[in-house]
Amino acid sequence: MTRNTAGRPWRVGILGLGHWYSAYGLARGVAEYRGAELVAAAWPDPVQLEAFTSTFDIKGYRDYAELLARESVDIIHIAAPVSEIADLTIRSAQAGKHLIVGKPMAMTLDEADRMVEAVERAGVCCFPLQGLMRLRLPDLKARLDAGDVGDLAVLHQTCRWSIAEDWFRSGTPGWFVDPARVPGGAFIDEGIYWIDALRWLTGSEVIEVDGRVANLVHRDLAVEDWGSATLTFASGVVATLEASWTINAPRSTGPSPKQNSVIRLEIVGTRGEIHEQWFRAPGRAVLAAGASDWVFERHSEEPFAPATAAPLTHLIACLEERQPPAATIRDARTALAIAFAVYQSARERRRVQM
């Protein structure tokens, strides 16, 4: 059994169930992961808290501070609405807890800066959830770095989902579309993963953005349901990113099945291309440098394997091996600044220099 320096499994607590899908994903994965145990969760909604804690047989608290004060946990997973993430991150770091931080990380760059300072001052290990693609696509990154398609030239990323829901099959987006609790709508909610991924895949920094946002399907929302940006990198690579909640079949909420979503990455190199697509078979198409034709590869998952709590297992590996995480809280801050620049570009209808 994997253990921490105290000679026991790592003890994990969850603050917030707003990002309920990440909380449930972690809890299901931990159930069959011997390196950690989930001990408690905190969330003000008593009905949702009871549903979660009774499912996983853990303690529940209505108050975040009470969990931090009463439970001896090593790692905190923050799944609260965005408006609460900064405060919870700072309080958890000051309490010496290692962290998995929800996405997007903050409402403002000032909040993000205070989070970075608190985490670095405390010396805790922190993995931002928006860095998840670095854990999902290491083989793709290795192929690009090896020059399988020559030098990178252009990347196109599309992520069109059904609208977010504030609880499993609630049929309502709730806080996800409340400007008091989120810094934006679909573009930052879905696109923040890929802003970080594009920086990582290119190994370069964004120097200019050109963005547009709109309400194309859900016209009554106070935040956008669609956004698009062109990102220019210092290396000369150009990337486009579309992020939306425009999948509306067969239902606008309920939700429409996630497998109806369109998640596709096209990588154009100087000598070939790689296309990566979720929810479709075979999933990856490769036209390698010097190849005579496309090769199609199926994404394989281990049959009958248990669920995995990938961000948590990565964080624990980093702690035990004394290695930095694949993405840092500073990476999260950089991605947030890029997203905010896209919104600025959309408001002012001009390109914005980073």
Side-chain angles (χ1 to χ4, degrees):
M1 180 180 289
T2 305
R3 298 178 184 270
N4 65 12
T5 55
R8 56 168 171 75
W10 297 85
R11 292 168 60 85
V12 183
I14 296 175
L15 297 183
L17 296 176
H19 281 101
W20 56 269
Y21 47 87
S22 72
Y24 270 92
L26 179 139
R28 289 168 180 153
V30 166
E32 297 188 65
Y33 171 58
R34 301 186 66 199
E37 58 179 333
L38 180 62
V39 298
W43 181 234
D45 186 303
V47 175
Q48 294 176 350
L49 180 64
E50 170 62 21
F52 186 82
T53 56
S54 62
T55 297
F56 300 106
D57 192 24
I58 60 172
K59 292 181 182 178
Y61 295 90
R62 297 278 301 279
D63 182 79
Y64 299 133
E66 188 178 4
L67 185 153
L68 286 172
R70 297 184 62 176
E71 295 292 338
S72 176
V73 297
D74 308 298
I75 298 169
I76 288 291
H77 177 100
I78 298 177
V82 181
S83 57
E84 300 174 3
I85 292 177
D87 179 62
L88 295 178
T89 299
I90 293 168
R91 288 160 62 182
S92 298
Q94 290 173 343
K97 312 303 182 185
H98 304 292
L99 288 157
I100 299 170
V101 174
K103 58 83 190 176
M105 67 183 292
M107 297 288 286
T108 66
L109 288 180
D110 179 65
E111 285 185 352
D113 288 337
R114 289 190 285 112
M115 293 166 69
V116 170
E117 180 183 9
V119 166
E120 293 183 345
R121 178 176 295 178
V124 296
C125 190
C126 176
F127 180 79
L129 200 60
Q130 62 199 54
L132 191 60
M133 299 308 156
R134 301 187 188 215
L135 305 184
R136 288 184 170 177
L137 301 173
D139 62 322
L140 179 62
K141 170 69 169 170
R143 293 172 82 157
L144 298 181
D145 290 347
D148 282 12
V149 294
D151 296 329
L152 287 182
V154 178
L155 297 94
H156 301 291
Q157 172 62 45
T158 290
C159 46
R160 296 194 296 273
W161 295 90
S162 55
I163 193 169
E165 289 187 293
D166 59 357
W167 195 249
F168 181 62
R169 293 188 175 175
S170 69
T172 58
W175 68 267
F176 281 98
V177 297
D178 181 355
R181 308 186 79 182
V182 294
F187 182 78
I188 196 167
D189 183 61
E190 308 293 357
I192 197 72
Y193 293 114
W194 295 103
I195 292 173
D196 179 79
L198 293 170
R199 286 185 63 237
W200 171 64
L201 290 171
T202 61
S204 185
E205 296 298 337
V206 175
I207 59 172
E208 181 183 87
V209 304
D210 188 6
R212 295 290 182 270
V213 298
N215 288 83
L216 302 181
V217 173
H218 305 281
R219 298 181 182 273
D220 57 341
L221 298 184
V223 296
E224 84 284 350
D225 70 354
W226 175 89
S228 178
T230 300
L231 311 177
T232 302
F233 290 82
S235 62
V237 173
V238 176
T240 65
L241 170 61
E242 179 192 27
S244 77
W245 294 326
T246 54
I247 295 296
N248 206 23
R251 302 176 295 276
S252 59
T253 61
S256 286
K258 294 300 182 185
Q259 65 266 24
N260 287 356
S261 302
V262 178
I263 316 298
R264 183 175 63 248
L265 172 63
E266 297 181 4
I267 299 172
V268 181
T270 55
R271 297 200 61 209
E273 298 193 15
I274 298 177
H275 297 177
E276 184 90 6
Q277 181 147 306
W278 296 5
F279 311 128
R280 309 289 185 273
R284 179 179 290 175
V286 181
L287 181 64
S292 60
D293 202 349
W294 289 86
V295 173
F296 297 91
E297 302 174 0
R298 181 169 64 91
H299 292 178
S300 296
E301 296 182 356
E302 184 180 355
F304 312 113
T308 58
L312 177 64
T313 57
H314 174 70
L315 184 75
I316 289 174
C318 291
L319 289 167
E320 295 182 343
E321 297 168 13
R322 300 182 182 275
Q323 297 292 327
T328 68
I329 195 163
R330 283 190 176 270
D331 288 318
R333 196 270 184 201
T334 299
L336 187 71
I338 295 168
F340 285 165
V342 171
Y343 283 121
Q344 179 186 353
S345 172
R347 287 194 307 272
E348 299 176 1
R349 295 191 174 276
R350 66 175 183 88
R351 295 177 180 176
V352 172
Q353 308 298 313
M354 295 299 302

